[in-house]
Amino acid sequence: MAKIAGAVVVDIDRCKGCELCVNECPFDVLAMSEDVNIKGYHYSYMKNPSACTGCLACALVCPDTVITVYRVKVPDTAKS
Amino acid sequence: MGEILLMKGNEALAEAIIRAGVDGYFGYPITPQSEVMEYLAAAKPEERTGMVLLQAESELAAINMLYGAGATGKKAITSSSSPGISLMQEGISYIAGAEIPVVVVNVVRGGPGLGTIQPAQSDYFQATKGGGHGDYHLLVLAPNSVQEMSDFVPLAFDLAFKYRNPVMILSDGLIGQMMEKVELFEPIPRWTDEYIREHHGNWATIGKTPDRERNIITSLDLVPERMEKHNMHLKEKYEQMEREEVRFEEIQTEDAEYLFVAYGSSSRIAMKAIKLARAEGIKVGLLRPITLYPFPKKRLRELADQVKGMLSVELSLGQMVEDVKLSVECRIPVEHYGRVGGMIPTPEEVVEALKTKIINR
Amino acid sequence: MAKSKVIPHHDVPLDQIIKPENIIFKKTKLFTDNVLSYCPGCGHGVAHRLILEVIEEMGIADKVIGIAPVGCSVLAYEFMDLDMQEAAHGRAPALATGIKRTNPDKFVFSYQGDGDLAAIGTAETIHAANRGENITVIFINNGIYGMTGGQMAPTTLEGMKTSTTPYGRDPRQMGHPIKITELVAQLPGTCYVTRQAVHTAALVRKAKKAIRRAFEYQKANKGLSFVEIVSNCNSGWKMTPVQAIKWLEENMLPYYPLGDLKDVGLD
């Protein structure tokens, strides 16, 4: 069990579907959606949210800064 | 009364630049105006007023330094001569489009190309009709004395900031190089950012403060509706200049039957020609445009009802004569007389031209 | 980045993570609300962000004047909530000179592409650097003219196909790709000259440090600081963004190696 839990929120309508975040994510958290956003782009979303550590990799390479990253320490009460 | 000195036109201009509270002079050496930067360098403006003096790597760089400095609301000026002014046209067009108040001095020499280093007035079209690409005008002042080389510097800045438009002082090698007495004006302090904001608006790019939107200085707009609006705004400025800024001098026009139209150095030759002609009984006067843009169209149109013909005297193959013709709307004969290539007409030649081209045509 | 073999796992519900107090990364306020006009995957967006983050972190936004070039980033001023000027093609260092000389207490940066900085504006670049103008130049090198549709740039690699070199750049005709950053580093007027990239998270972190350092040099009045960012132009290169960053790694970086070329020291 990870001691850190992360999550990202993608600003869907500003995503241009470049996939650089998917490519950069070390833990295969992200994937491209099957449907498209208001601009017609497939957008990035968390396919495996439980693997996200909030490492920032996706957000750092995102050319349009559409990714906001959250991170918490996993409470001690959580069991593996 | 101000200090009176004997100075070259170029030196008087340089001294006026320091006294006018200019923040930055950016230039590149070219004959016949290199004395401007030389005088400034010797005068240590950084000690006298804090003015920046910088010899740029080219006229192209110099005019773009004016763009940068002018867009911060600072008083920025350059001087050059014809080939250098041609190189600056790109920047001047951008400055006009972006509405930056700067002053450009052209001490004209003969062309085209490298031409000659001798005086000429062959850049009239370039100065008054735009010069670079796009619909725009400079406000053009034409000094005809060393005194005006000095006086027109603060005037040019007043006009540049009034209209947020580049102003050109269109001199020539003769006015730049000749020596005359000049009464210097009292130094004007350099403006602070606060003064500029208070008196000239809050448009300067000096760092976005939280109390306002960001300021952007650009000549670009890709939205046709907005770009057209901007072009029409520029047009309104030019129309306001035509209403409010026309300046000219008249000499012996009260009883004139003929009229010389001449600016800058040519106007001084015309003044002597008036004396010679009047000694022969020819009643001729002079209208000297001081602003070449806006041009004194209205007054020339009025004078067309009084005189029998006009002779435009220019050190060119005939440029301003076109504006004179447009002004008088074909009511009377309008002809041109000029020498070029650095040749200067004598007053006798000018009188002879008046006789052959106008009186006995 | 190499994929980790061990995939981490947590069971924390998303609504317990996605709370304002847990934000560790969000868009800087110095971005305007305008959507970036760049193609999907273009490095300009990251470069913009890093500059803005540095300015925000240094708390100097009210003292900054930026200069946009001609090229894809011609509208940079639409995206940066700063006082900005738009320059003619190649002239940004001359504007910067005029601004900084008459406003020495401000921070001035130019943002320029390879055609702007290393072709039409070479003279302005070299002479501003040589005079040691106390400004920061951000140079985006993607080896192509993006805005006008993918023509050869001064930095286009040998053999690289562009719309004006459809059979590849032939150095016998077109010259060799110019390493302007190496040229600039030769000049005594420069204090900090570095080449960075922004296509991986690790490189983005380094590039941000470099941009910060460049602005710190400006703050210290040390001369011209120069940050090249080797970037991708997927559209011009006719690749997907992911293909483009791989191509960048394999082709651009061997010719334009990353790292500091000059760092005279901030003290």
Side-chain angles (χ1 to χ4, degrees):
Chain A
M1 169 62 80
K3 294 201 168 131
I4 295 286
V8 303
V9 172
V10 175
D11 186 345
I12 290 171
D13 286 341
R14 283 178 172 251
C15 176
K16 293 176 184 164
C18 73
E19 301 188 30
L20 291 182
C21 56
V22 176
N23 182 67
E24 188 68 9
C25 176
F27 305 126
D28 299 333
V29 173
L30 297 169
M32 300 309 290
S33 66
E34 288 198 5
D35 60 338
V36 295
N37 66 9
I38 197 167
K39 291 181 185 295
Y41 293 119
H42 298 286
Y43 52 88
S44 164
Y45 78 106
M46 282 201 293
K47 190 178 179 185
N48 301 307
S50 64
C52 181
T53 62
C55 75
L56 297 180
C58 57
L60 290 177
V61 298
C62 175
D64 291 273
T65 323
V66 302
I67 300 175
T68 304
V69 184
Y70 299 78
R71 187 160 65 190
V72 292
K73 281 184 186 170
V74 176
D76 292 338
T77 51
K79 291 175 183 173
S80 52
Chain B
M1 190 153 176
E3 196 179 348
I4 294 179
L5 292 174
L6 182 68
M7 297 181 101
K8 272 190 174 188
N10 288 337
E11 294 167 349
L13 174 84
E15 178 60 28
I17 287 170
I18 301 174
R19 288 177 180 243
V22 170
D23 297 292
Y25 172 97
F26 305 91
Y28 187 83
I30 185 171
T31 309
Q33 63 78 57
S34 295
E35 296 88 353
V36 180
M37 206 187 325
E38 289 168 352
Y39 181 100
L40 288 172
K44 296 188 176 175
E46 68 283 2
E47 289 178 14
R48 280 175 60 183
T49 66
M51 184 187 101
V52 171
L53 168 67
L54 184 59
Q55 179 170 336
E57 65 269 29
S58 68
E59 288 92 348
L60 197 51
I63 192 69
N64 282 287
M65 291 171 187
L66 258 67
Y67 184 120
T72 66
K74 301 294 184 287
K75 285 184 183 171
I77 191 168
T78 187
S79 63
S80 186
S81 181
S82 309
I85 297 290
S86 290
L87 200 49
M88 288 184 189
Q89 290 302 331
E90 175 199 69
I92 294 174
S93 169
Y94 280 66
I95 285 168
E99 301 193 82
I100 305 171
V102 303
V103 177
V104 177
V105 183
N106 184 358
V107 181
V108 179
R109 59 189 252 186
L114 274 178
T116 170
I117 59 170
Q118 302 297 329
Q121 294 181 314
S122 42
D123 296 353
Y124 177 91
F125 284 151
Q126 186 195 54
T128 61
K129 309 298 180 191
H133 62 282
D135 268 336
Y136 74 92
H137 283 288
L138 308 178
L139 201 154
V140 184
L141 297 167
N144 83 335
S145 63
V146 173
Q147 185 66 52
E148 287 187 346
M149 286 290 269
S150 170
D151 294 345
F152 283 5
V153 174
L155 172 63
F157 276 107
D158 287 347
L159 294 168
F161 278 84
K162 177 177 177 184
Y163 291 97
R164 277 186 65 184
N165 201 71
V167 173
M168 176 170 279
I169 297 176
L170 189 73
S171 181
D172 62 60
L174 214 157
I175 305 292
Q177 292 295 331
M178 74 182 183
M179 292 187 87
E180 279 184 330
K181 75 169 184 184
V182 53
E183 183 183 346
L184 301 172
F185 57 87
E186 287 302 313
I188 300 162
R190 288 172 61 212
W191 293 341
T192 61
D193 287 346
E194 293 68 34
Y195 180 93
I196 296 161
R197 189 158 54 232
E198 206 171 300
H199 292 83
H200 298 290
N202 203 358
W203 51 265
T205 49
I206 50 170
K208 181 197 175 296
T209 45
D211 59 336
R212 65 162 167 84
E213 295 294 302
R214 68 193 192 283
N215 284 334
I216 297 166
I217 299 290
T218 182
S219 59
L220 174 73
D221 202 326
L222 297 173
V223 180
E225 289 81 2
R226 287 207 309 247
M227 191 64 212
E228 184 183 49
K229 203 175 155 195
H230 177 63
N231 284 128
M232 297 312 287
H233 161 68
L234 294 180
K235 182 168 182 265
E236 282 164 20
K237 288 204 306 191
Y238 306 141
E239 287 169 351
Q240 188 189 348
M241 289 177 199
E242 293 195 359
R243 286 193 305 275
E244 297 179 16
E245 308 304 342
V246 174
R247 287 166 169 79
F248 56 88
E249 180 187 15
E250 288 184 44
I251 291 169
Q252 291 186 271
T253 52
E254 300 81 8
D255 64 343
E257 293 175 1
Y258 301 98
L259 190 73
F260 293 131
V261 185
Y263 70 94
S265 54
S266 291
S267 69
R268 299 174 66 117
I269 298 162
M271 285 180 208
K272 179 67 178 171
I274 288 173
K275 284 185 186 165
L276 296 179
R278 285 191 175 253
E280 293 182 34
I282 303 168
K283 289 181 177 173
V284 60
L286 167 70
L287 185 137
R288 170 172 82 95
I290 293 172
T291 52
L292 299 179
Y293 184 88
F295 194 70
K297 285 188 271 193
K298 199 172 145 221
R299 183 57 187 147
L300 279 167
R301 170 66 189 80
E302 288 165 5
L303 285 166
D305 291 336
Q306 175 190 325
V307 302
K308 296 174 189 167
M310 296 183 185
L311 186 70
S312 180
V313 184
E314 309 166 49
L315 304 180
S316 76
L317 293 174
Q319 299 191 14
M320 182 177 70
V321 64
E322 293 189 4
D323 283 336
V324 179
K325 283 181 178 172
L326 285 169
S327 302
V328 306
E329 297 167 349
C330 302
R331 283 176 161 76
I332 53 166
V334 174
E335 295 292 342
H336 162 262
Y337 181 71
R339 296 292 298 273
V340 292
M343 297 301 293
I344 311 293
T346 63
E348 290 79 4
E349 278 178 66
V350 172
V351 173
E352 188 57 29
L354 177 68
K355 289 179 190 168
T356 55
K357 293 189 169 208
I358 301 288
I359 300 174
N360 305 321
R361 74 197 306 264
Chain C
M1 183 181 283
K3 304 274 169 167
S4 166
K5 283 174 188 170
V6 181
I7 300 291
H9 178 83
H10 69 77
D11 290 328
V12 184
L14 280 182
D15 60 0
Q16 287 185 27
I17 307 173
I18 300 173
K19 293 178 175 175
E21 62 268 30
N22 297 333
I23 290 178
I24 57 165
F25 180 89
K26 64 174 181 179
K27 196 173 193 170
T28 161
K29 285 178 202 151
L30 290 180
F31 264 125
T32 64
D33 286 336
N34 297 326
V35 174
L36 297 178
S37 52
Y38 306 113
C39 301
C42 173
H44 273 307
V46 178
H48 281 27
R49 190 184 78 227
L50 298 184
I51 294 166
L52 294 177
E53 285 177 354
V54 164
I55 290 169
E56 186 178 33
E57 286 163 21
M58 290 177 76
I60 55 171
D62 60 347
K63 294 187 186 67
V64 169
I65 299 131
I67 304 164
V70 169
C72 286
S73 47
V74 66
L75 291 171
Y77 56 79
E78 293 286 349
F79 316 122
M80 301 184 180
D81 194 17
L82 300 169
D83 275 6
M84 291 194 69
Q85 301 184 13
E86 162 53 35
H89 202 18
R91 315 294 171 233
L95 268 67
T97 300
I99 299 167
K100 187 73 180 195
R101 291 283 182 129
T102 54
N103 299 270
D105 56 331
K106 308 290 183 188
F107 288 83
V108 182
F109 75 91
S110 71
Y111 187 97
Q112 303 176 257
D114 39 47
D116 192 270
L117 183 139
I120 196 166
T122 309
E124 285 79 2
T125 303
I126 295 290
H127 285 280
N130 193 51
R131 287 190 302 266
E133 297 297 341
N134 194 34
I135 59 172
T136 298
V137 175
I138 309 293
F139 165 41
I140 310 297
N141 176 11
N142 57 17
I144 207 159
Y145 284 73
M147 180 67 137
T148 43
Q151 295 83 10
M152 183 186 72
T155 51
T156 293
L157 296 177
E158 187 177 336
M160 188 172 159
K161 287 179 181 172
T162 72
S163 66
T164 50
T165 56
Y167 308 107
R169 180 179 187 157
D170 179 356
R172 288 173 303 174
Q173 277 195 52
M174 321 287 184
H176 291 269
I178 191 166
K179 294 186 176 182
I180 191 113
T181 304
E182 277 79 351
L183 285 171
V184 164
Q186 300 294 312
L187 302 170
T190 55
C191 53
Y192 179 53
V193 182
T194 186
R195 183 182 285 122
Q196 304 287 328
V198 293
H199 57 279
T200 71
L203 290 170
V204 169
R205 286 191 170 94
K206 278 189 191 165
K208 183 172 171 182
K209 277 184 191 152
I211 292 170
R212 173 72 186 243
R213 192 160 178 82
F215 275 88
E216 293 288 355
Y217 267 108
Q218 188 173 163
K219 192 176 180 180
N221 280 305
K222 290 277 191 175
L224 188 136
S225 48
F226 189 100
V227 182
E228 174 179 344
I229 295 174
V230 182
S231 187
N232 53 312
C233 177
N234 340 296
S235 300
W237 297 356
K238 305 193 190 309
M239 300 174 192
T240 67
V242 174
Q243 288 169 337
I245 62 169
K246 187 159 182 282
W247 192 89
L248 184 158
E249 288 267 1
E250 291 169 359
N251 297 276
M252 294 284 278
L253 295 190
Y255 192 81
Y256 299 113
L258 303 183
D260 291 348
L261 287 91
K262 184 180 194 177
D263 189 341
V264 298
L266 260 169
D267 308 321

